[in-house]
């Protein structure tokens, strides 16, 4: 069965799609327009009762929450495509650790920046410069920790590309495209080198080309 992946143009859905590409899993992209309210249609709410993106259908199996989905496919197709969990329990532990860091430390301030800078007019939000400055400071402190980590490791979990790195791609893209704060990456030597490596993977280039961001 071909996997159906919903809302491919949006960042969180791209987290899923780049994982599917890395794992060489055939999929069908299904457009969902958030700005037209298609995410709260009765049919979509049967898949994702909270009306958020992404969601997948894999035969009779449905799943939502992007990080749950990428963990599922990385484990289910462990022997296919790129190994994204590492080869040992210790490596998997580091992957899980940095996935949690991305979810709880990296994405929240960046998501706020994206809302206030990129989508404020579409969402009826008045950009708040104090909120923008506060979250830029928060993100900067996070990236300082990344800089230290990446000074001794090519990737976040070790010397191998993993879900931990992959999960940063969709919102990290906004720092250099849309938010206009690419210096937060470029001013950190090791973060910048890491970003260049992961963002130049063929899988990510393919995703961005096939499913342009709505900016």
């Amino acid at each position: 069965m071909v996997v159906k992946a919903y809302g491919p143009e949006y960042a969180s859905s791209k987290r899923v799609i780049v994982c599917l590409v890395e794992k060489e899993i055939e999929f069908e992209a299904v457009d969902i327009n958030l700005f037209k309210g298609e995410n709260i249609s009765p049919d979509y709410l049967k898949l994702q009762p909270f009306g958020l993106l992404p969601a997948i259908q894999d035969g009779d199996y449905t799943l939502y929450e992007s990080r749950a989905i990428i963990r599922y496919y990385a484990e289910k197709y462990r022997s296919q495509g790129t190994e994204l969990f590492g080869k040992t329990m210790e490596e998997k532990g580091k992957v899980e650790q940095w996935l949690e860091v991305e979810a709880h430390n990296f994405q929240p301030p960046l998501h706020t920046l994206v809302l206030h800078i990129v989508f404020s007019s579409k969402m009826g939000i008045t950009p708040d410069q104090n909120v923008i400055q506060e979250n830029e400071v928060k993100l900067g402190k996070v990236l300082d920790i990344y800089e230290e980590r990446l000074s001794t490791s090519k990737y976040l979990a070790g010397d191998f590309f993993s879900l931990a790195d992959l999960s940063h791609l969709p919102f990290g893209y906004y720092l250099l495209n849309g938010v206009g704060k690419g210096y937060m990456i470029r001013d950190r030597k090791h973060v910048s080198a890491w970003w260049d490596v992961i963002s130049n993977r063929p899988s990510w280039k393919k995703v961005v080309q096939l499913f342009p961001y709505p900016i």
Side-chain angles (χ1 to χ4, degrees):
M1 295 291 292
V2 175
V3 176
K4 289 186 177 180
Y6 289 79
E9 66 178 343
Y10 300 102
S12 292
S13 299
K14 283 180 169 61
R15 181 177 288 117
V16 170
I17 292 174
V18 70
C19 177
L20 295 176
V21 175
E22 287 280 354
K23 298 303 294 181
E24 300 174 4
I25 299 168
E26 188 177 357
F27 68 92
E28 172 190 349
V30 182
D31 291 332
I32 295 287
N33 192 318
L34 291 178
F35 302 109
K36 292 182 179 180
E38 293 175 358
N39 56 306
I40 54 174
S41 68
D43 286 343
Y44 186 71
L45 289 174
K46 290 177 183 178
L47 298 174
Q48 218 296 13
F50 299 101
L52 301 174
L53 291 170
I56 61 99
Q57 277 184 299
D58 193 342
D60 294 330
Y61 185 68
T62 63
L63 192 63
Y64 53 85
E65 293 295 341
S66 62
R67 295 173 190 83
I69 297 170
I70 64 175
R71 284 176 166 106
Y72 168 72
Y73 282 114
E75 191 66 61
K76 182 177 181 178
Y77 294 96
R78 196 128 193 199
S79 62
Q80 178 175 313
T82 306
E83 170 55 72
L84 295 172
F85 258 141
K87 296 178 180 178
T88 66
M89 286 300 297
E90 289 72 22
E91 288 179 345
K92 184 179 180 182
K94 289 294 186 182
V95 173
E96 292 284 7
Q97 170 187 281
W98 283 100
L99 270 173
E100 292 297 308
V101 171
E102 183 272 325
H104 300 292
N105 300 92
F106 177 82
Q107 174 150 329
L110 181 49
H111 185 261
T112 300
L113 291 174
V114 171
L115 289 181
H116 279 260
I117 297 173
V118 181
F119 292 116
S120 56
S121 60
K122 289 185 177 181
M123 301 187 71
I125 298 172
T126 300
D128 187 324
Q129 292 304 315
N130 290 328
V131 170
I132 291 172
Q133 183 177 7
E134 177 185 333
N135 282 277
E136 184 174 344
V137 170
K138 286 181 180 178
L139 182 59
K141 291 178 179 178
V142 173
L143 290 175
D144 285 343
I145 294 172
Y146 279 47
E147 179 69 5
E148 182 177 354
R149 168 59 178 168
L150 292 165
S151 69
T152 60
S153 179
K154 183 176 181 179
Y155 299 101
L156 288 171
D159 62 359
F160 59 97
F161 178 77
S162 73
L163 290 182
D165 308 290
L166 176 152
S167 196
H168 288 78
L169 286 166
F171 276 88
Y173 177 90
Y174 273 120
L175 268 180
L176 291 93
N177 304 272
V179 169
K181 297 187 182 294
Y183 66 87
M184 297 189 73
I185 289 177
R186 295 306 178 201
D187 287 355
R188 294 168 171 85
K189 175 183 175 182
H190 300 292
V191 172
S192 183
W194 165 75
W195 179 257
D196 284 343
V197 170
I198 67 173
S199 63
N200 278 295
R201 290 184 70 85
S203 60
W204 180 243
K205 288 186 171 183
K206 179 178 180 178
V207 170
V208 174
Q209 181 179 15
L210 288 176
F211 311 109
Y213 277 77
I215 56 176

